[in-house]
């Protein structure tokens, strides 16, 4: 039996703070301000959570950049490059790539759980966030695999006209699948389609949340284009590290917006779904 952590829920979840004040925000600017406010107040915890997935990428950028570029050229060869033999790269490169492939979704899941608790004004424990993320690790991994398989299929369809819009919709409408896994107990595949079903209820609102996300990506792209060299590599990796927590913050706010404003979920039910990981008291 899963024990409800609330003794008196109405006293533990306030409409003040992040949760209540955000739901009245409607503009792109207000979304950005709220995300920055959460980041400013909680950035030490959030950066520590994202650190685990940052280290493999930093090591690859600092010590194995040419080897990674060789692999990219092999799978996505340029028109003037004819690579026949599989590139001979150190085992460390494969190890770090595979490690990052698994740590990225795990860190995202831990960040999702931590932000869920932060937004309802509860304490955030980094180890607990990772522990709870691992409790549904199988569902997380399978959803990630399904996501990329469908992404590759839609990518293939871009050879035809129909593929491009399907690819775009798939990318922008599945961003809250970790919330469906951990706050609604959705299983493999179901979490992805739950995300699409929820976000498709208002494409205009989804557009407002994606503008800040595109802005973050644009900052990273401009920086990597103009700041190059050895120092540039380290600088851009650090920039990504410090900006990256803003992405799950914005998607967390989007999830709240859709659940409370559009689906009319109560504050209490939202808080219980966060602390009980989508399970009812009986479960």
């Amino acid at each position: 039996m899963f024990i409800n952590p609330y003794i008196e829920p109405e006293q533990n979840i306030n409409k003040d703070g992040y949760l209540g004040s955000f739901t009245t925000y409607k503009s792109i600017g207000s979304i950005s301000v709220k995300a920055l406010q959460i980041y400013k107040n909680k950035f030490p915890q959030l950066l520590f959570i994202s650190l685990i997935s940052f280290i493999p990428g930093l090591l690859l950028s600092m010590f194995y950049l040419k080897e990674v570029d060789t692999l990219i050229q092999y799978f996505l060869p340029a028109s003037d490059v004819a690579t026949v033999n599989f590139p001979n790269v150190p085992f460390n490169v494969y190890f770090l790539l595979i490690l990052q492939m698994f740590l990225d979704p795990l860190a995202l899941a831990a960040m999702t759980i931590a932000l869920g608790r932060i937004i309802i004004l509860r304490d955030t424990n980094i180890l607990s966030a990772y522990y709870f993320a691992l409790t549904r690790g199988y569902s997380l991994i399978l959803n990630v695999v399904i996501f990329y398989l469908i992404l590759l299929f839609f990518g293939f369809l871009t050879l035809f006209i129909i593929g491009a819009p399907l690819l775009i919709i798939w990318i922008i409408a599945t961003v809250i699948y970790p919330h469906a896994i951990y706050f609604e107990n959705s299983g493999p595949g179901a979490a992805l389609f739950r995300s699409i079903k929820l976000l498709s209820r208002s494409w205009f609102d989804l557009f407002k949340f994606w503008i800040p996300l595109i802005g973050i990506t644009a900052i990273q792209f401009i920086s990597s284009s103009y700041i190059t060299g050895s120092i540039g590599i380290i600088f851009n990796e650090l920039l990504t590290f410090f900006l990256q927590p803003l992405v799950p913050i914005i998607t967390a706010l989007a999830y709240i917006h859709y659940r409370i404003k559009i689906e009319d979920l109560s504050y209490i039910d939202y808080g219980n779904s966060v602390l009980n990981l989508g399970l009812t008291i009986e479960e």
Side-chain angles (χ1 to χ4, degrees):
M1 177 178 175
F2 196 89
I3 304 300
N4 187 342
Y6 285 141
I7 299 174
E8 298 178 7
E10 291 80 1
Q11 295 181 12
N12 281 279
I13 297 183
N14 267 319
K15 292 187 179 183
D16 301 323
Y18 303 125
L19 182 59
S21 61
F22 170 73
T23 57
T24 61
Y25 284 19
K26 298 180 180 179
S27 68
I28 296 170
S30 62
I31 294 168
S32 303
V33 168
K34 183 57 65 174
L36 289 171
Q37 178 189 353
I38 295 173
Y39 182 82
K40 178 177 72 74
N41 292 337
K42 297 294 181 179
F43 75 90
Q45 298 98 313
L46 299 179
L47 290 177
F48 270 113
I49 291 174
S50 60
L51 182 64
I52 188 173
S53 64
F54 168 73
I55 293 175
L58 180 62
L59 293 175
L60 286 169
S61 298
M62 291 179 63
F63 303 110
Y64 301 106
L65 190 61
K66 290 184 179 179
E67 289 81 357
V68 173
D69 184 63
T70 301
L71 284 174
I72 294 174
Q73 290 296 329
Y74 178 81
F75 289 105
L76 298 173
S79 57
D80 59 343
V81 177
T83 305
V84 177
N85 298 323
F86 193 79
N88 184 21
V89 298
F91 170 78
N92 293 346
V93 175
Y94 296 111
F95 174 76
L96 290 172
L97 286 172
I98 294 172
L99 185 63
Q100 186 169 26
M101 183 176 65
F102 283 100
L103 291 181
D104 278 346
L106 180 62
L108 176 61
M111 190 80 75
T112 298
I113 293 170
L115 285 167
R117 297 180 66 89
I118 287 170
I119 289 171
I120 60 173
L121 303 181
R122 303 284 292 193
D123 293 333
T124 305
N125 185 297
I126 297 170
L127 293 179
S128 294
Y130 271 104
Y131 169 76
F132 288 126
L134 288 171
T135 59
R136 297 201 183 138
Y138 75 95
S139 181
L140 177 69
I141 292 173
L142 290 176
N143 274 291
V144 170
V145 170
I146 293 170
F147 171 83
Y148 281 110
L149 288 175
I150 295 178
L151 186 73
L152 289 172
F153 176 69
F154 287 158
F156 170 75
L157 290 181
T158 55
L159 297 173
F160 312 97
I161 297 176
I162 192 175
L166 290 175
L167 183 66
I168 294 171
I169 292 172
W170 181 250
I171 292 173
I172 67 174
T174 55
V175 292
I176 61 170
Y177 80 88
H179 301 79
I181 294 174
Y182 292 99
F183 301 157
E184 300 182 39
N185 200 23
S186 297
L192 292 162
F193 291 100
R194 164 60 178 161
S195 176
I196 296 173
K197 181 181 178 181
L198 181 59
L199 296 182
S200 63
R201 297 188 62 172
S202 176
W203 293 107
F204 178 71
D205 283 357
L206 181 57
F207 170 78
K208 293 189 296 184
F209 285 97
W210 260 99
I211 291 297
L213 294 176
I214 293 172
I216 294 170
T217 305
I219 292 172
Q220 294 171 307
F221 176 78
I222 293 171
S223 175
S224 62
S225 299
Y226 288 95
I227 305 176
T228 57
S230 301
I231 300 298
I233 292 171
I234 298 175
F235 174 82
N236 290 316
E237 285 292 332
L238 290 173
L239 179 65
T240 299
F241 174 64
F242 284 104
L243 289 179
Q244 197 59 34
L246 286 169
V247 175
I249 291 174
I250 293 170
T251 56
L253 295 179
Y255 179 74
I256 294 169
H257 174 79
Y258 275 83
R259 291 302 313 275
I260 293 180
K261 181 181 178 182
I262 295 179
E263 288 195 332
D264 200 28
L265 187 73
S266 71
Y267 292 91
I268 304 304
D269 288 338
Y270 172 78
N272 277 314
S273 72
V274 169
L275 294 185
N276 292 328
L277 298 183
L279 298 175
T280 62
I281 297 175
E282 290 75 17
E283 293 176 293

